[in-house]
């Protein structure tokens, strides 16, 4: 930065829950972003965490991080298909009420700290719409720019579920819910000076909502390729395909059940000893029932890399949700070739992503033939494994990407 200009003061406000499957990964990325910014800006982070969890803070940034505990007692609102119109109406205010319920505990501590620091920019990270009322209150006390990172917009997630739902009642209910939340977004999106999201598709979503054209910056997702690096040996490969993901999250459950019902039976007919591993915490009863001589359901494991070492191939088909993109990057970083659909790579240049076979999920015979062809060619799989890991190192390591925070802050200065 030009010495003639004083350093700007940047504050990151983050709400993290280390109990969540990606909580520790989110912490790691955020802390690297902070470290990346500290050399060019006066930077601090206020990290909101549940009072019964402990964030892991690297020593090099300890002095720049303020940890504020809160009581994690959020109210859960009804998701029943038979919910009344009143329940539907409640979703309009869902995020506001979540903010009041979850974060009430820290209001008196957070406000004074932000006001005392008096930053030029505040980036609300991993906090969602629960920060909207906070932003308005702070706006009356500070002369600053308010930026927010919003990933996996919920209306896009609901839209995918509606498309693939087999229940008319569910489709009607979720369509109404999507309309309510979209209306809420459109009303309050104008309150921000800038938005950070991950893909061009997400940017288009917020560009459409913003009548005042709030600047939307796109930065890709990064993963820790050093940590996820795996040494593969053919002798250790006793699992044909693996799916890795938290099994309480509907998009993961949908993907596994779809594969089990549509792809697995023909595969077993052609490869009698075929083995599939479903790796992830909190498997539902529907997932647990899949366990058999052909299907391993692990539940939570200490280290997912051990299953990556044992697996020849992975899959990822998007039937709902929009967070599956990070999963692809993690699989690639572990050197796992991936069979997936184009929706799973939404927002990324598929031609640049090596180690991936993209095929439409409606082409089930094609998926089966492709999978068998790969499994019967160990040399090809080994080459794809190397390409996958190299792609992750070159394009998706968070040390290089760092969510492009510096560019984001710089672009917001004007």
């Amino acid at each position: 930065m030009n010495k003639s200009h004083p350093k700007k003061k940047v504050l990151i406000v983050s709400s993290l829950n280390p109990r969540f499957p990606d909580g520790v990964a989110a912490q790691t990325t955020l802390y690297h972003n902070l470290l990346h910014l500290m050399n060019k800006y006066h930077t601090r982070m206020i990290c909101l965490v549940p009072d019964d969890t402990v964030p892991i803070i690297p020593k090099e940034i300890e002095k720049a991080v303020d940890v504020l505990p809160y009581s994690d007692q959020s109210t859960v609102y009804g998701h029943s298909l038979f919910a009344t119109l009143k329940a539907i109406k409640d979703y309009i205010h869902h995020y506001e009420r979540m903010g009041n319920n979850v974060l009430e505990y820290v209001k008196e501590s957070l406000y004074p700290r932000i006001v005392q620091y008096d930053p030029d920019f505040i980036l609300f990270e991993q906090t969602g719409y629960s920060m909207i009322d906070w932003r308005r209150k702070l706006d009356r006390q500070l002369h600053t720019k308010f930026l927010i990172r919003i990933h996996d917009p919920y209306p896009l997630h609901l839209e995918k579920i509606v498309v693939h739902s087999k229940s008319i009642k569910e489709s009607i209910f979720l369509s109404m819910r999507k309309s309510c939340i979209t209306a809420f977004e459109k009303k309050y999106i104008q309150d921000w000076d800038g938005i950070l999201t991950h893909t061009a598709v997400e940017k288009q979503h917020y560009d459409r909502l913003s009548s005042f054209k709030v600047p939307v910056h796109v930065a890709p997702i990064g993963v820790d390729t050093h940590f996820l690096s795996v040494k593969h040996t053919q002798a250790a490969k006793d699992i044909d395909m693996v799916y890795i993901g938290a099994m309480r999250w509907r998009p993961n459950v949908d993907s596994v059940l779809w594969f089990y019902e549509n792809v697995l039976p023909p595969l077993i007919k052609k490869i009698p000893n075929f083995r599939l591993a479903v790796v992830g915490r909190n498997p539902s009863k529907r997932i647990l029932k899949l366990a058999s001589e052909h299907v391993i359901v692990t539940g939570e494991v200490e280290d997912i890399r051990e299953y990556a070492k044992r697996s020849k191939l992975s899959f990822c088909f998007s039937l709902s949700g929009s967070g599956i993109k990070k999963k692809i990057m993690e699989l690639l970083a572990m050197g796992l070739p991936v069979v997936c659909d184009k929706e799973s790579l939404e927002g990324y240049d598929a031609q640049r992503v090596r180690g991936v076979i993209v095929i439409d999920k409606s082409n089930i015979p094609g998926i089966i033939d492709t999978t068998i062809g790969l499994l019967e060619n160990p040399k090809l799989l080994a080459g794809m494994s190397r390409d996958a890991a190299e792609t992750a190192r070159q394009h998706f390591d968070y040390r290089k990407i760092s969510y492009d925070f510096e560019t984001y802050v710089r672009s917001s200065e004007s």
Side-chain angles (χ1 to χ4, degrees):
M1 184 176 287
N2 193 319
K3 293 183 179 180
S4 63
H5 293 84
K7 283 186 177 182
K8 298 288 186 179
K9 295 168 69 176
V10 177
L11 177 65
I12 301 173
V13 179
S14 171
S15 177
L16 288 175
N17 192 335
R19 289 193 300 263
F20 288 174
D22 62 347
V24 174
Q27 279 186 212
T28 304
T29 303
L30 277 172
Y31 294 152
H32 182 78
N33 291 336
L34 178 62
L35 184 63
H36 181 77
L37 285 173
M38 283 171 65
N39 294 328
K40 299 191 177 183
Y41 297 89
H42 294 296
T43 314
R44 293 197 64 81
M45 175 186 289
I46 295 177
C47 193
L48 311 176
V49 297
D51 52 15
D52 60 345
T53 64
V54 179
I56 304 167
I57 303 175
K59 288 185 178 180
E60 59 266 31
I61 63 170
E62 268 183 340
K63 294 181 180 179
V65 180
D66 294 330
V67 176
L68 288 181
Y70 68 88
S71 180
D72 188 11
Q73 297 177 348
S74 58
T75 300
V76 178
Y77 296 96
H79 291 242
S80 166
L81 296 180
F82 303 101
T84 62
L85 288 176
K86 182 179 181 299
I88 294 288
K89 184 179 178 181
D90 283 345
Y91 281 116
I92 299 175
H93 305 292
H94 174 74
Y95 290 103
E96 289 177 316
R97 289 159 61 175
M98 284 290 287
N100 292 333
N101 291 331
V102 179
L103 303 174
E104 184 73 30
Y105 182 75
V106 297
K107 274 191 174 182
E108 296 307 315
S109 299
L110 181 65
Y111 288 153
R113 294 197 191 196
I114 293 178
V115 173
Q116 182 180 17
Y117 188 64
D118 192 21
D120 296 290
F121 302 95
I122 300 180
L123 175 63
F124 289 99
E125 163 72 27
Q126 292 280 11
T127 53
Y129 298 110
S130 58
M131 287 292 149
I132 286 172
D133 287 339
W134 294 36
R135 182 255 187 272
R136 287 172 174 166
K137 181 173 180 179
L138 287 167
D139 200 20
R140 294 193 293 268
Q141 303 178 56
L142 297 172
H143 298 286
T144 187
K145 289 195 173 182
F146 292 83
L147 316 175
I148 187 169
R149 183 178 80 87
I150 309 175
H151 68 294
D152 303 333
Y154 202 48
L156 298 184
H157 164 66
L158 292 175
E159 189 174 292
K160 285 187 178 180
I161 296 180
V162 170
V163 169
H164 295 286
S165 177
K166 297 178 181 179
S167 166
I168 296 177
K169 289 182 179 179
E170 181 183 54
S171 296
I172 294 172
F173 176 81
L174 294 179
S175 294
M176 294 176 70
R177 186 178 173 192
K178 172 180 173 288
S179 297
C180 291
I181 296 175
T182 301
F184 177 87
E185 283 189 326
K186 187 172 184 178
K187 180 178 179 181
Y188 291 111
I189 205 74
Q190 322 303 333
D191 287 341
W192 301 95
D193 297 308
I195 300 169
L196 176 65
T197 190
H198 292 324
T199 71
V201 174
E202 294 170 354
K203 173 177 166 55
Q204 289 171 5
H205 171 71
Y206 289 111
D207 281 341
R208 286 195 302 268
L209 292 180
S210 176
S211 58
F212 296 110
K213 300 301 178 187
V214 176
V216 182
H217 182 77
V218 178
I221 293 174
V223 295
D224 189 345
T225 60
H226 292 186
F227 174 78
L228 292 170
S229 178
V230 170
K231 185 176 181 180
H232 291 270
T233 59
Q234 188 60 34
K237 303 293 185 181
D238 63 331
I239 296 171
D240 294 293
M241 295 193 82
V242 64
Y243 187 93
I244 299 174
M247 285 295 111
R248 69 175 178 178
W249 178 233
R250 174 168 178 167
N252 291 338
V253 174
D254 287 346
S255 188
V256 169
L257 291 176
W258 177 86
F259 188 89
Y260 179 86
E261 293 169 1
N262 296 280
V263 181
L264 187 60
L267 280 176
I268 292 174
K269 283 184 179 180
K270 296 188 178 183
I271 307 177
N273 296 322
F274 185 90
R275 298 182 76 204
L276 167 68
V278 180
V279 181
R281 67 175 67 186
N282 299 327
S284 65
K285 290 182 180 180
R286 295 176 71 191
I287 295 297
L288 289 171
K289 287 180 180 179
L290 305 184
S292 68
E293 60 178 315
H294 296 288
V295 181
I296 304 167
V297 180
T298 68
E300 185 172 3
V301 298
E302 185 173 340
D303 191 342
I304 60 173
R305 293 172 297 179
E306 294 304 314
Y307 279 87
K309 289 179 184 178
R310 295 172 55 188
S311 302
K312 302 173 186 176
L313 191 60
S314 59
F315 71 90
C316 205
F317 291 94
S318 176
L319 282 85
S320 61
S322 53
I324 214 163
K325 297 174 290 294
K326 182 179 178 184
K327 185 188 306 298
I328 293 280
M329 304 312 153
E330 290 172 338
L331 293 170
L332 294 178
M334 290 188 287
L336 274 170
V338 185
V339 179
C340 68
D341 55 359
K342 64 180 181 180
E343 287 81 9
S344 299
L345 283 173
E346 193 174 78
Y348 294 93
D349 183 357
Q351 293 182 345
R352 190 177 69 170
V353 181
R354 294 176 295 151
V356 169
I357 300 292
V358 180
I359 187 166
D360 195 282
K361 54 182 164 284
S362 64
N363 184 8
I364 293 177
I367 295 171
I368 294 166
D369 291 342
T370 298
T371 301
I372 293 173
L374 291 171
L375 293 175
E376 291 179 345
N377 193 334
K379 288 186 178 180
L380 177 59
L381 273 180
M384 288 183 66
S385 175
R386 291 190 293 270
D387 287 345
E390 184 61 25
T391 292
R393 284 192 295 269
Q394 285 183 357
H395 301 296
F396 303 111
D397 188 279
Y398 75 82
R399 293 167 185 83
K400 294 182 179 179
I401 293 175
S402 192
Y403 284 144
D404 202 11
F405 268 28
E406 182 185 346
T407 302
Y408 182 48
V409 173
R410 282 178 180 273
S411 67
S412 300
E413 289 185 28
S414 59

